[in-house]
Structures are given as C-alpha cells and as structure tokens.
Amino acid sequence: MLEEKRVSQRFLFSEPVTYLKPEVSISGSVAGNISVSGISLKVQEFVPIGSILELQVCLGNSPKLICLKGEVVRMRETLSEDCYEIGLKFIKDEESLRAIGEYINTCQLTNKRS
C-alpha cells in the first residue's frame, strides 16, 4: 500500500494561475489541485525542483487575486499533453493561506450539500 505523503487534503482546482520566476517573464498555467499547503500546475516549460515561483491565483468567483510564493517540490513531464506537471509547496504567508483555507472550506461545504 502506498503511503500518503501529503499533509493536507487536495481538492480539484482548474483555475488559471499566473507565475513568475526570476529568469522568465510572466507565464500562464492551469492548476490541477490545491490544498492549504500546496498546488499542482501544468506548465509549458521545465521548472527545476527547488525553484521559487511567485503565483497569482484567482479563487473561484472572487475577483481578488491571491499573491503567494511556492517552492517546486515535484516535477514530471506529461508527454501526452506536451507539458510538465509541477507540485509546489506554499511558502508561509498567513493572509494568503487564510484565503485559500476559506476557499477550501467553502468547497467542502458545497460538496457535502451535493
């Protein structure tokens, strides 16, 4: 049996995410899932493990962008989609993480009602 390494439960999240890293201009991506501790993204370029990215995330219907940083902790090439899937661990920022937590709580409540 595989041991689950994730600290927090993940939720499907397919919103656009903008990211910036020092040697590349702003790029776009689509998220795969999100939790209070991290996010997975599909990106068109190779991003090495250990890279720190600045992210801009729009949570659901909210017009407000959440700006936070994440460290790439996982990367794999997805040949069928001609892209890379990266996993990022959020770097602690209480205000942004609180907003993500509130969004996830709303998702949980919505799923329980369905």
Side-chain angles (χ1 to χ4, degrees), residues 70-107:
E71 178 182 359
V72 178
V73 294
R74 180 180 51 80
M75 190 281 305
R76 72 178 175 100
E77 188 171 5
T78 307
L79 297 175
S80 63
E81 298 178 38
D82 196 29
C83 67
Y84 298 91
E85 183 180 318
I86 59 175
L88 294 106
K89 177 181 171 185
F90 292 135
I91 296 173
K92 300 297 181 199
D93 168 359
E94 292 305 316
E95 182 179 341
S96 298
L97 296 181
R98 185 173 30 256
I100 291 169
E102 289 171 3
Y103 171 79
I104 288 173
N105 286 337
T106 301
C107 291

XYZ file of all heavy atoms in Angstrom, residues 70-107:
306
model
N 5.636 29.816 -3.884
C 5.693 28.381 -3.689
C 7.020 27.834 -4.165
O 7.639 28.378 -5.084
N 7.452 26.770 -3.523
C 8.684 26.092 -3.912
C 8.322 24.819 -4.665
O 7.485 24.032 -4.211
C 9.513 25.730 -2.685
C 10.771 24.975 -3.028
C 11.579 24.554 -1.822
O 11.183 24.864 -0.677
O 12.609 23.893 -2.024
N 8.953 24.612 -5.822
C 8.709 23.408 -6.616
C 9.321 22.216 -5.883
O 10.519 22.188 -5.623
C 9.305 23.538 -8.035
C 9.087 22.248 -8.828
C 8.700 24.727 -8.774
N 8.459 21.250 -5.527
C 8.918 20.061 -4.802
C 8.743 18.786 -5.625
O 9.244 17.733 -5.246
C 8.200 19.913 -3.439
C 8.588 21.056 -2.505
C 6.694 19.841 -3.608
N 8.040 18.898 -6.747
C 7.822 17.742 -7.616
C 7.680 18.228 -9.041
O 7.095 19.277 -9.300
C 6.543 17.013 -7.176
C 6.184 15.793 -7.967
C 4.908 15.132 -7.450
N 3.769 16.022 -7.302
C 2.982 16.430 -8.290
N 3.216 16.040 -9.526
N 1.968 17.228 -8.048
N 8.225 17.467 -9.996
C 8.119 17.825 -11.403
C 8.117 16.549 -12.220
O 8.901 15.640 -11.966
C 9.306 18.711 -11.807
C 9.205 19.360 -13.172
S 9.597 18.352 -14.600
C 11.215 17.772 -14.245
N 7.199 16.464 -13.180
C 7.214 15.332 -14.100
C 6.733 15.797 -15.464
O 5.880 16.688 -15.575
C 6.387 14.167 -13.585
C 4.906 14.361 -13.628
C 4.180 13.100 -13.124
N 2.771 13.336 -13.062
C 1.895 12.938 -13.991
N 2.297 12.253 -15.029
N 0.614 13.207 -13.853
N 7.294 15.199 -16.490
C 6.912 15.526 -17.856
C 5.677 14.713 -18.221
O 5.590 13.520 -17.936
C 8.057 15.207 -18.811
C 7.828 15.695 -20.204
C 9.064 15.560 -21.076
O 10.070 14.997 -20.628
O 9.005 16.023 -22.227
N 4.710 15.371 -18.849
C 3.491 14.709 -19.298
C 3.527 14.684 -20.818
O 3.139 15.654 -21.471
C 2.240 15.467 -18.796
O 2.353 15.641 -17.393
C 0.966 14.715 -19.108
N 4.035 13.604 -21.383
C 4.227 13.515 -22.830
C 2.923 13.603 -23.601
O 2.865 14.233 -24.658
C 4.966 12.224 -23.183
C 6.385 12.117 -22.623
C 6.982 10.745 -22.929
C 7.269 13.215 -23.186
N 1.862 13.017 -23.081
C 0.583 13.024 -23.801
C 0.016 14.433 -23.953
O -0.739 14.700 -24.874
C -0.431 12.119 -23.101
O -0.713 12.616 -21.808
N 0.380 15.322 -23.040
C -0.127 16.698 -23.097
C 0.959 17.698 -23.473
O 0.717 18.894 -23.513
C -0.742 17.072 -21.743
C -1.927 16.198 -21.386
C -2.495 16.533 -20.023
O -2.532 17.728 -19.670
O -2.894 15.595 -19.314
N 2.164 17.210 -23.727
C 3.293 18.049 -24.121
C 3.513 19.204 -23.137
O 3.619 20.367 -23.528
C 3.094 18.579 -25.539
C 4.390 19.120 -26.127
O 5.467 18.618 -25.742
O 4.329 20.045 -26.970
N 3.543 18.857 -21.845
C 3.769 19.867 -20.819
C 4.392 19.197 -19.605
O 4.706 18.014 -19.624
C 2.468 20.578 -20.446
S 1.260 19.526 -19.619
N 4.588 19.962 -18.558
C 5.122 19.463 -17.293
C 4.080 19.678 -16.215
O 3.345 20.657 -16.236
C 6.405 20.207 -16.901
C 7.523 20.045 -17.886
C 7.690 20.947 -18.931
C 8.412 18.989 -17.775
C 8.725 20.793 -19.831
C 9.460 18.838 -18.681
C 9.595 19.736 -19.709
O 10.615 19.574 -20.605
N 4.040 18.772 -15.277
C 3.197 18.950 -14.096
C 4.133 19.176 -12.925
O 5.031 18.371 -12.677
C 2.335 17.722 -13.848
C 1.396 17.909 -12.680
C 0.531 16.693 -12.439
O 0.038 16.097 -13.413
O 0.374 16.336 -11.262
N 3.943 20.306 -12.237
C 4.798 20.611 -11.094
C 3.947 20.699 -9.831
O 2.792 21.110 -9.876
C 5.609 21.909 -11.287
C 4.705 23.128 -11.508
C 6.593 21.759 -12.429
C 5.452 24.448 -11.580
N 4.526 20.276 -8.736
C 3.889 20.399 -7.435
C 4.642 21.432 -6.631
O 5.868 21.403 -6.566
N 3.919 22.375 -6.072
C 4.530 23.439 -5.276
C 4.047 23.384 -3.847
O 2.864 23.148 -3.590
C 4.182 24.815 -5.849
C 4.762 25.103 -7.218
C 3.685 25.022 -8.256
C 5.413 26.448 -7.239
N 4.958 23.617 -2.940
C 4.639 23.750 -1.518
C 4.610 25.247 -1.229
O 5.558 25.970 -1.526
C 5.730 23.071 -0.685
C 5.549 23.202 0.792
C 6.688 22.523 1.517
C 6.656 22.810 2.992
N 7.818 22.238 3.662
N 3.487 25.727 -0.683
C 3.376 27.146 -0.393
C 4.386 27.569 0.662
O 4.646 26.853 1.621
C 1.970 27.509 0.102
C 0.901 27.380 -0.942
C -0.296 26.770 -0.638
C 1.083 27.870 -2.217
C -1.303 26.649 -1.580
C 0.092 27.759 -3.184
C -1.101 27.143 -2.865
N 4.950 28.744 0.442
C 5.816 29.371 1.440
C 4.897 30.207 2.314
O 4.068 30.966 1.820
C 6.908 30.220 0.759
C 7.816 29.287 -0.051
C 7.689 31.026 1.785
C 8.830 29.993 -0.911
N 5.023 30.050 3.613
C 4.069 30.618 4.579
C 3.838 32.115 4.381
O 4.760 32.913 4.391
C 4.536 30.374 6.015
C 4.694 28.914 6.362
C 3.385 28.174 6.287
C 3.549 26.720 6.671
N 2.497 25.889 6.226
N 2.579 32.458 4.193
C 2.088 33.821 4.108
C 0.679 33.756 4.698
O -0.252 33.281 4.046
C 2.064 34.298 2.655
C 1.294 35.588 2.445
O 0.737 36.140 3.411
O 1.225 36.050 1.297
N 0.535 34.145 5.925
C -0.703 33.925 6.684
C -1.960 34.432 5.977
O -2.972 33.745 5.927
C -0.594 34.548 8.082
C 0.410 33.856 8.986
C 0.150 32.368 9.138
O -1.018 31.964 9.325
O 1.120 31.588 9.076
N -1.920 35.627 5.404
C -3.117 36.186 4.770
C -3.544 35.364 3.565
O -4.718 35.024 3.410
C -2.860 37.646 4.351
C -4.087 38.300 3.740
C -3.836 39.744 3.344
O -2.866 40.356 3.841
O -4.616 40.261 2.536
N -2.598 35.014 2.703
C -2.920 34.223 1.513
C -3.381 32.824 1.880
O -4.353 32.306 1.315
C -1.700 34.129 0.590
O -1.321 35.399 0.148
N -2.696 32.201 2.836
C -3.082 30.850 3.240
C -4.455 30.840 3.914
O -5.215 29.888 3.759
C -2.015 30.241 4.150
C -0.647 30.020 3.481
C 0.323 29.384 4.470
C -0.763 29.197 2.223
N -4.800 31.897 4.615
C -6.121 32.008 5.223
C -7.188 32.073 4.125
O -8.222 31.426 4.212
C -6.203 33.232 6.135
C -7.513 33.337 6.888
C -7.571 34.448 7.940
N -6.771 35.621 7.688
C -5.609 35.918 8.297
N -5.117 35.116 9.202
N -4.957 37.023 8.011
N -6.922 32.847 3.058
C -7.873 32.953 1.946
C -8.054 31.606 1.262
O -9.178 31.215 0.919
C -7.397 34.004 0.939
N -6.970 30.869 1.078
C -7.060 29.538 0.472
C -7.834 28.602 1.392
O -8.683 27.833 0.939
C -5.653 28.988 0.147
C -5.045 29.812 -0.990
C -5.715 27.507 -0.218
C -3.586 29.549 -1.241
N -7.573 28.669 2.681
C -8.304 27.847 3.645
C -9.798 28.121 3.607
O -10.617 27.198 3.640
N -10.179 29.396 3.527
C -11.596 29.761 3.450
C -12.218 29.226 2.164
O -13.344 28.726 2.169
C -11.757 31.281 3.531
C -11.456 31.841 4.906
C -11.404 33.358 4.939
O -11.667 34.011 3.902
O -11.071 33.902 6.015
N -11.478 29.323 1.047
C -11.966 28.797 -0.228
C -12.195 27.288 -0.127
O -13.232 26.770 -0.544
C -10.960 29.114 -1.344
C -11.278 28.422 -2.636
C -12.261 28.917 -3.486
C -10.611 27.258 -3.005
C -12.561 28.268 -4.672
C -10.904 26.609 -4.188
C -11.879 27.118 -5.017
O -12.185 26.467 -6.190
N -11.248 26.567 0.457
C -11.358 25.111 0.599
C -12.513 24.747 1.522
O -13.267 23.807 1.239
C -10.017 24.513 1.066
C -9.020 24.578 -0.101
C -10.190 23.087 1.571
C -7.617 24.188 0.248
N -12.707 25.485 2.599
C -13.849 25.230 3.487
C -15.166 25.393 2.736
O -16.096 24.609 2.914
C -13.819 26.161 4.697
C -12.759 25.767 5.705
O -12.335 24.610 5.749
N -12.324 26.722 6.487
N -15.245 26.410 1.872
C -16.435 26.616 1.056
C -16.638 25.432 0.113
O -17.768 24.949 -0.049
C -16.310 27.927 0.240
O -16.143 29.018 1.151
C -17.540 28.167 -0.622
N -15.563 24.936 -0.487
C -15.648 23.772 -1.382
C -16.150 22.548 -0.620
O -16.989 21.805 -1.120
C -14.287 23.456 -1.999
S -13.723 24.673 -3.185
